[in-house]
Amino acid sequence: MASLVIIMSVAIAITAFLLIFPIELPDKTFIATLVLATRYKPLAVWSGVSAAFAVQTVVAVTLGGLIGHLPRTPVEIFAGLMFLTGGVILIRGASTADAEEAETEHEFEAKTKPGLHGWRTVAASFLVLFVAEWGDLSQLLTAGLVVKYGDPVSVGVGAFLALATVSALGAVLGRALLKRIRLATIRRVGGGLCLLLATASLLHVANASILA
């Protein structure tokens, strides 16, 4: 039984990672990390950004845990609609991804201050990403995954690892990565994953209603 629980927890964490990663990669926070890393030392930037992601992930899983205590059917409908909304937003926004990339880059360039070093760089990176991530799609979908699976720890670990990985790519390979991949394609992949989860969630609710 313990082995089964561990396997299920790992599976949930992997699911969270695989969903959040393609959603966050074309997001404004990836661009923000890229811009910060061109101004300051990448390791300091990544440390501050990851700390901001850790806090935001805790907020998201806490919200999902609170929602999960509501009656089960409305909660599953809520999760399904959240995934559906995320999928539609990502797919509809795919066509404007490249234009948004340039706009977002200029936005965060204006927020950077020259001459920061050490902990000041970490603190600045933390504040920029902490503010940018509030109400972000990845945060909302993390809460939705907690609602769906009822396992905030596994979802939180998977979501945070996805966010930390994206921020590392942004800090180290950001510009080179953008030359080799299209953000529009990544958004469509992320949108497709959201729609699959939405379909699975709503079908589960429909089947449960029929059996009842």
Side-chain angles (χ1 to χ4, degrees):
M1 181 62 71
S3 298
L4 179 60
V5 171
I6 292 173
I7 292 172
M8 290 179 63
S9 296
V10 171
I12 291 171
I14 292 173
T15 299
F17 183 97
L18 293 176
L19 177 64
I20 300 301
F21 183 84
I23 289 172
E24 194 65 22
L25 191 55
D27 190 73
K28 61 183 179 182
T29 48
F30 172 81
I31 306 299
T33 305
L34 183 159
V35 171
L36 289 166
T38 62
R39 300 293 189 276
Y40 315 124
K41 291 186 176 180
L43 181 58
V45 169
W46 181 79
S47 298
V49 169
S50 294
F53 279 143
V55 175
Q56 295 288 17
T57 300
V58 170
V59 171
V61 298
T62 300
L63 175 62
L66 292 174
I67 295 172
H69 284 92
L70 297 173
R72 193 61 196 168
T73 298
V75 162
E76 290 185 352
I77 293 174
F78 170 82
L81 291 177
M82 186 171 289
F83 295 135
L84 177 61
T85 301
V88 171
I89 290 173
L90 285 168
I91 291 173
R92 289 189 62 182
S95 60
T96 59
D98 293 333
E100 288 178 12
E101 174 200 332
E103 182 180 338
T104 302
E105 192 167 336
H106 289 307
E107 174 190 344
F108 284 104
E109 282 175 348
K111 294 180 180 180
T112 59
K113 296 180 180 180
L116 297 182
H117 302 283
W119 286 107
R120 294 181 65 188
T121 300
V122 175
S125 301
F126 176 91
L127 289 174
V128 168
L129 267 293
F130 185 78
V131 173
E133 189 71 6
W134 275 111
D136 189 81
L137 183 57
S138 62
Q139 191 178 31
L140 296 176
L141 292 179
T142 297
L145 287 169
V146 173
V147 171
K148 178 175 176 58
Y149 293 112
D151 189 345
V153 174
S154 298
V155 170
V157 168
F160 172 72
L161 289 176
L163 295 170
T165 301
V166 168
S167 64
L169 290 173
V172 179
L173 300 173
R175 192 73 63 187
L177 197 62
L178 288 178
K179 291 179 180 179
R180 288 171 171 76
I181 59 175
R182 291 197 62 198
L183 296 185
T185 301
I186 300 173
R187 284 193 179 183
R188 291 188 179 100
V189 170
L193 291 173
C194 285
L195 293 180
L196 285 174
L197 274 175
T199 302
S201 297
L202 296 175
L203 283 176
H204 184 269
V205 173
N207 289 335
S209 300
I210 292 172
L211 293 174

